[in-house]
Amino acid sequence: MRTRLGIRMHGFLERRFPERRVFLKSDSDTRFVRLSSEIQLCVAAGVTLFVGWSFVATSVVLIDSIGAGNYREQAKRDQTTYRARLNAISDERDARASESLAAQGRFTAALKQISAMQSELLASETRRRELETGIEVIQTTLRKTMSERETARRTLEQLKESTQADSAAQLAAATAPQQMDFVAMALADTARERDQIRADAQHALDDMDALKDEIDQIETRNDQIFRQLEEAMQISVEPLDKMFRKAGMPTDSILEQVRRGYTGQGGPLEPLAMSTRGEEISPEMQRANDLLAQMSQLNLYRLAAQKAPFAVPVNLNHVRQSSGFGYRRDPKTGGRRLHKGSDFAGSPGTDIFATADGVVKTAGWQSGYGRVVVIQHAFGIETRYAHNSKLRVKAGQRVSRGDHIADMGNTGRSTGTHLHYEVRVNGNPVNPMIYIKAARNVF
């Protein structure tokens, strides 16, 4: 049974949508289909829904098209900005490389000048010692001459006194002219010896003054050499010390390790003079010893820098740095992961060089690294060179900084041709650019 509400709704539909007939005519017959109000309502609702859905879908497609166009434009602008930034970084890298080559030339010239000044300093020190020895000999001769002159003067005075006091001797001299002539000749010889002694003494004094002037000139020259050497040591040692400290390497312990392992390359320089009688050495000797100690320290710094990876593994003119150290979006999975080194992208076969002296620990295939070279250096430092196409060293081989160890490739877990370069200290990865930037102003 119908309820009142149903009856009222049915009546409303009949008034709103009266029953209609649809005629279907053929060649031989004509038929009709009755469309009730409910069917008409359903058809109207379906048409309305279809029209609304079409409008909404069209709007969504238009909005997506507009958004996609804006995204592409933004991506193009970002790409243009990124390329401009890469070009600026490349220009800056080339400028820094030129500055590094110029600094290396200045450093080499300074070392040559220091070596020449050291030789000149040693030669001047030898000359000064010879002059001091000559002055001592002259002073000894002068004292001996003065003593002989005083002895002759006293003898002459005694002879005069005895001649004046003894009247009998005067009478004898008057009566004996030969003896008188002998005494006169002896007095004349004594006078000539006295004059010669005076002349020799004056000549010795003049020579001593000239030697003193020469010694003063040598001391002035030595002081100038000392100042130049001290300035050269300050210019050379401070950047090296700063380079190690920027890399987080304690200089005292590193120099001590180098000093303990020093074999067959000259060793630290010895002091110029050492007292065995407990006497204090002169200020000049102390100054020279301090300079030689600084030269020894500079030599130790040079050896330490050769053993640490203060270099670039590739020629920066042929590559670009494509990724740095730190957390980044993984190119394979898209997740956030720690990138433990620096990537340098280049063409296949680009030469890869060792960044420090060491021993090859691994040379072969290793998991995601592909073909990898691992070099063990001093001070607990290890460097890794991954994704190579060809290896040019073997495990256990000793290499030096700048040796060609591999060719760049795309092996292992890699998206393109590049070098993955790592630096590890006591097994922990550190940013390789710390060492590269620290050495930029030194080498």
Side-chain angles (χ1 to χ4, degrees):
M1 296 178 65
R2 294 182 178 178
T3 61
R4 293 180 179 179
L5 179 60
I7 294 172
R8 291 179 181 178
M9 181 62 68
H10 181 71
F12 171 77
L13 292 175
E14 286 182 348
R15 291 191 302 271
R16 186 69 177 176
F17 301 98
E19 185 176 279
R20 297 180 183 273
R21 293 181 181 182
V22 178
F23 292 92
L24 301 175
K25 186 177 181 179
S26 64
D27 294 338
S28 60
D29 192 9
T30 301
R31 296 182 180 182
F32 67 91
V33 178
R34 291 181 179 181
L35 296 178
S36 63
S37 58
E38 288 84 354
I39 293 176
Q40 294 180 39
L41 177 61
C42 291
V43 171
V47 171
T48 304
L49 289 175
F50 178 76
V51 172
W53 176 83
S54 300
F55 178 76
V56 172
T58 304
S59 301
V60 171
V61 170
L62 290 175
I63 293 172
D64 289 343
S65 299
I66 295 172
N70 293 336
Y71 180 76
R72 285 194 296 270
E73 292 297 329
Q74 182 65 30
K76 289 181 180 179
R77 289 194 296 270
D78 292 343
Q79 185 177 8
T80 302
T81 304
Y82 181 68
R83 287 179 178 175
R85 178 59 179 165
L86 284 180
N87 292 332
I89 292 175
S90 178
D91 295 339
E92 183 179 359
R93 178 201 63 197
D94 295 339
R96 294 295 179 271
S98 300
E99 293 176 0
S100 300
L101 293 176
Q104 184 176 2
R106 292 195 298 271
F107 182 72
T108 304
L111 286 180
K112 292 181 179 178
Q113 185 178 6
I114 289 172
S115 178
M117 288 182 177
Q118 182 181 2
S119 301
E120 188 175 354
L121 176 62
L122 295 176
S124 63
E125 184 65 24
T126 303
R127 176 61 178 166
R128 188 179 66 85
R129 290 181 180 177
E130 293 176 354
L131 291 176
E132 289 180 351
T133 302
I135 290 175
E136 291 179 358
V137 172
I138 292 173
Q139 289 177 346
T140 302
T141 304
L142 180 61
R143 286 194 294 268
K144 181 178 179 182
T145 303
M146 296 294 290
S147 177
E148 292 177 353
R149 185 188 66 178
E150 292 296 329
T151 303
R153 181 181 295 175
R154 287 194 297 270
T155 303
L156 180 59
E157 291 177 353
Q158 291 176 0
L159 182 59
K160 287 181 178 180
E161 291 177 356
S162 61
T163 303
Q164 293 175 358
D166 192 356
S167 57
Q170 293 177 358
L171 294 174
T175 57
Q178 293 180 354
Q179 287 81 356
M180 193 62 185
D181 293 338
F182 176 76
V183 171
M185 292 175 61
L187 290 175
D189 293 339
T190 302
R192 282 194 300 272
E193 290 179 359
R194 179 196 63 192
D195 295 337
Q196 184 62 39
I197 289 171
R198 284 181 178 177
D200 293 341
Q202 186 62 39
H203 182 69
L205 291 174
D206 294 339
D207 290 342
M208 185 174 65
D209 293 336
L211 289 175
K212 285 183 178 179
D213 293 337
E214 187 174 356
I215 290 174
D216 292 338
Q217 294 177 0
I218 292 175
E219 289 179 351
T220 302
R221 177 60 177 166
N222 288 345
D223 183 69
Q224 182 180 2
I225 294 174
F226 275 127
R227 286 199 308 271
Q228 292 178 350
L229 286 174
E230 288 168 352
E231 291 175 358
M233 287 299 100
Q234 184 178 5
I235 293 173
S236 301
V237 173
E238 286 186 0
L240 288 170
D241 183 77
K242 186 177 180 181
M243 178 181 70
F244 279 98
R245 294 188 184 278
K246 277 191 175 182
M249 303 174 68
T251 56
D252 295 337
S253 61
I254 287 175
L255 294 182
E256 183 61 29
Q257 292 182 40
V258 176
R259 187 178 290 109
R260 287 199 304 266
Y262 211 96
T263 56
Q265 298 186 16
L269 299 175
E270 296 296 333
L272 284 177
M274 295 183 64
S275 175
T276 58
R277 295 179 296 177
E279 298 177 355
E280 294 184 358
I281 60 177
S282 64
E284 290 79 9
M285 287 297 179
Q286 183 62 45
R287 196 174 180 184
N289 290 340
D290 293 340
L291 277 174
L292 292 178
Q294 290 180 356
M295 290 180 184
S296 175
Q297 186 182 24
L298 177 63
N299 194 30
L300 295 177
Y301 269 120
R302 179 183 60 81
L303 293 174
Q306 193 71 19
K307 296 177 182 294
F310 291 112
V312 185
V314 288
N315 188 341
L316 293 178
N317 295 325
H318 300 156
V319 300
R320 67 178 180 87
Q321 186 179 6
S322 56
S323 183
F325 179 88
Y327 284 94
R328 66 170 186 178
R329 178 180 174 274
D330 189 273
K332 290 283 189 179
T333 63
R336 182 175 173 81
R337 293 184 59 184
L338 175 62
H339 188 231
K340 299 179 181 180
S342 293
D343 291 343
F344 299 92
S347 59
T350 300
D351 294 342
I352 297 174
F353 309 100
T355 54
D357 299 350
V359 178
V360 178
K361 184 178 178 181
T362 302
W365 189 275
Q366 182 176 341
S367 185
Y369 285 110
R371 290 189 179 92
V372 62
V373 176
V374 180
I375 301 178
Q376 184 66 49
H377 308 283
F379 320 123
I381 299 176
E382 178 184 283
T383 55
R384 299 185 178 187
Y385 313 79
H387 308 309
N388 304 298
S389 62
K390 184 177 181 180
L391 305 182
R392 298 185 178 272
V393 293
K394 297 180 180 180
Q397 180 178 342
R398 182 172 294 277
V399 295
S400 301
R401 171 182 288 158
D403 287 352
H404 185 192
I405 60 174
D407 296 341
M408 187 179 294
N410 187 24
T411 59
R413 193 172 183 271
S414 172
T415 60
T417 302
H418 74 287
L419 165 68
H420 174 79
Y421 174 59
E422 286 187 20
V423 176
R424 296 184 176 232
V425 180
N426 297 323
N428 300 317
V430 297
N431 190 354
M433 296 306 297
I434 293 176
Y435 292 86
I436 294 175
K437 291 180 179 179
R440 180 172 295 170
N441 296 327
V442 177
F443 298 105

